[in-house]
Amino acid sequence: MKCKKCGKEIENGLMYCPECGESIQLVPDYNVLEEELLFRVVEDKNKSKDDRFATGVYKKVEHIENDAPQASSINSKANNTKSNNTKAEPLVFTKKIKAIICAAVILIAIIGCFLILPYAGTHTYDSLMNSAVDAENNAKYAKALGLYEEAYALDNTSFEAIYGLGRMYYRVKDYNNAIKMLEQALEMDPDNEKIYTYLISSFDAIGDKESIYELASNTDNAKILELINAYILMPPSFNYDGGEYNEDIIIQLSSTGGYQIFYTLNGKNPTTSGKLYTKPIQLKEGKTVIKAVTQNEAGEFSEVVSNEYTISYPELSLPVVSPTDGIYDELVMISIEVPEGCVAYYTWDGTNPATNGIQYTEPFPIIEGSSVLSVVIVDEEGNVSPTYHGDYIYQP
């Protein structure tokens, strides 16, 4: 560095010129050329920076207050605006799609309400049943059948729906399905005469007489039996079912409508060999087969029915006597156990008590000496028990 006053070279680190004593200026002198060069360098850097901003890498937009903005600033603003528009388009497009989808969903919901609500209102169980009854009353049986089926699908335990289906199946001549539904209805209401009417008519339509007879055997309702009798001539009924009995029984026969009855006891056909029934038939021990048939005023015969009866009397046990036989030195009273409905007879001389005996009514005394007591029990049918024999010796 040179001294500005005397021009002498000054070593670094000195604060004063060693030649003239002038103080040394640490800040360099202002140089116009150097100032110009520095300005251009800074301007070039700023321009380079502005060009870099215009590429769109940086999105900030600087506000220029000058009335005449520089071209670089305008270009930068234009580029930034274009970049912003390009980025915003997908967001707008998404909002439009969402709006369209929401509108479509709302429209579908509104249409669904207009379509479903009226349908649901007319397809409740009550509305279906009311419509079915109206259709049935107007003889629109096929339509009524469809409505009853819909109601049944909603409640398959409903008596009204089940019975309605039975009636409509009968009306459209679907007798097998009619029988199926009517039998279910009959289980719910066993004494409903109208159900019997439809059911009997359905059996008759398919020629199932056996099922009609079975209906008659399962009821004792006189009105229902009359309904059945209008379709078929019912066979006689027995007051005792066939089977085994241990006592005599009396068989009574009856017919619905009071028609004549013919019967046999020897296994022959009552329509050709029968005897007119006029009084009860008494059956005793043994096996008996009774065949019977009903005949109406037109001479038509019913189905032949038969029952087999077996009567076997119970075996009477040996009479129970007390005290038992033996030797006694004092007076004792003899008693006999007599079953209900039976009579006891006894003798002291060994003869048959069933023919020569004394009827037992109360305990009796033992007789003096040596004796044989004989006792039998006889039931209401005259059956005789085995004979009790006892050797009694009484020595006072």
Side-chain angles (χ1 to χ4, degrees):
M1 179 182 295
K2 292 181 179 182
C3 179
K4 294 176 66 176
K5 185 176 181 179
C6 64
K8 187 175 177 60
E9 287 289 337
I10 303 172
E11 295 180 6
N12 292 332
L14 297 178
M15 301 296 292
Y16 299 93
C17 177
E19 186 65 30
C20 63
E22 182 72 21
S23 64
I24 297 171
Q25 182 178 356
L26 294 176
V27 179
D29 294 334
Y30 180 81
N31 189 306
V32 175
L33 180 60
E34 288 179 354
E35 178 72 18
E36 179 67 22
L37 290 175
L38 179 62
F39 175 80
R40 289 183 180 180
V41 170
V42 171
E43 184 180 30
D44 289 340
K45 287 183 179 181
N46 289 336
K47 183 177 180 181
S48 178
K49 182 178 180 180
D50 291 340
D51 290 341
R52 187 168 67 250
F53 293 165
T55 62
V57 176
Y58 188 81
K59 296 182 181 181
K60 181 178 180 181
V61 178
E62 295 181 358
H63 297 282
I64 308 299
E65 295 180 357
N66 296 334
D67 292 336
Q70 295 181 1
S72 63
S73 298
I74 295 173
N75 291 336
S76 176
K77 183 177 181 179
N79 288 335
N80 287 338
T81 304
K82 182 178 179 181
S83 176
N84 289 338
N85 290 338
T86 302
K87 294 297 181 178
E89 284 181 0
L91 181 60
V92 173
F93 182 67
T94 302
K95 289 182 177 179
K96 288 182 178 179
I97 291 177
K98 289 181 178 179
I100 293 171
I101 292 174
C102 290
V105 170
I106 293 172
L107 181 61
I108 292 172
I110 293 172
I111 294 173
C113 289
F114 280 106
L115 294 177
I116 295 173
L117 290 179
Y119 177 85
T122 58
H123 284 71
T124 63
Y125 172 82
D126 290 337
S127 63
L128 287 169
M129 288 297 297
N130 289 331
S131 299
V133 171
D134 289 340
E136 182 179 359
N137 291 337
N138 292 314
K140 297 179 180 179
Y141 301 127
K143 180 181 179 180
L145 175 60
L147 292 168
Y148 279 124
E149 286 177 338
E150 289 189 59
Y152 178 77
L154 294 176
D155 185 0
N156 61 8
T157 63
S158 166
F159 170 78
E160 291 80 6
I162 293 171
Y163 183 28
L165 280 175
R167 294 195 306 271
M168 292 309 98
Y169 279 130
Y170 174 80
R171 292 295 187 183
V172 299
K173 299 183 179 181
D174 186 350
Y175 299 116
N176 288 323
N177 277 326
I179 291 169
K180 178 181 177 181
M181 303 311 295
L182 290 168
E183 285 181 335
Q184 290 186 41
L186 192 61
E187 290 179 0
M188 298 178 177
D189 190 0
D191 294 323
N192 191 313
E193 296 176 23
K194 292 184 179 180
I195 297 177
Y196 270 101
T197 300
Y198 282 106
L199 190 55
I200 295 167
S201 298
S202 298
F203 283 132
D204 185 62
I206 62 175
D208 188 355
K209 302 293 184 183
E210 293 297 326
S211 293
I212 298 178
Y213 289 135
E214 185 176 351
L215 283 177
S217 65
N218 291 332
T219 182
D220 55 1
N221 188 309
K223 291 184 178 180
I224 293 174
L225 290 173
E226 288 180 8
L227 288 174
I228 296 173
N229 202 57
Y231 287 85
I232 59 172
L233 182 59
M234 294 299 300
S237 58
F238 295 70
N239 64 326
Y240 281 94
D241 294 330
E244 297 182 358
Y245 297 88
N246 58 13
E247 60 182 359
D248 294 347
I249 58 175
I250 296 176
I251 302 298
Q252 295 179 339
L253 303 177
S254 59
S255 67
T256 303
Y259 299 123
Q260 289 184 324
I261 299 173
F262 294 88
Y263 72 96
T264 61
L265 302 177
N266 55 8
K268 293 184 177 181
N269 190 338
T271 58
T272 56
S273 305
K275 178 182 179 181
L276 179 64
Y277 174 80
T278 57
K279 62 181 180 180
I281 305 167
Q282 185 171 5
L283 300 182
K284 292 186 175 294
E285 188 175 19
K287 181 182 294 185
T288 305
V289 177
I290 300 177
K291 291 186 176 182
V293 68
T294 300
Q295 185 182 38
N296 61 16
E297 294 91 341
E300 298 173 334
F301 287 99
S302 70
E303 179 187 35
V304 174
V305 290
S306 65
N307 277 330
E308 182 177 307
Y309 301 90
T310 301
I311 299 176
S312 56
Y313 302 134
E315 293 185 2
L316 296 173
S317 303
L318 185 71
V320 177
V321 179
S322 61
T324 58
D325 56 357
I327 300 174
Y328 297 91
D329 58 4
E330 60 182 359
L331 182 67
V332 295
M333 304 297 288
I334 307 296
S335 62
I336 303 170
E337 292 186 9
V338 182
E340 185 178 356
C342 297
V343 179
Y345 296 93
Y346 67 94
T347 63
W348 280 108
D349 56 6
T351 58
N352 187 358
T355 57
N356 302 317
I358 302 169
Q359 182 175 344
Y360 173 80
T361 57
E362 60 184 1
F364 54 90
I366 189 173
I367 63 174
E368 188 174 345
S370 178
S371 305
V372 176
L373 176 64
S374 301
V375 181
V376 295
I377 301 294
V378 180
D379 64 16
E380 295 176 331
E381 283 75 33
N383 298 302
V384 180
S385 70
T387 303
Y388 168 84
H389 295 287
D391 294 327
Y392 288 83
I393 300 174
Y394 173 41
Q395 296 176 345

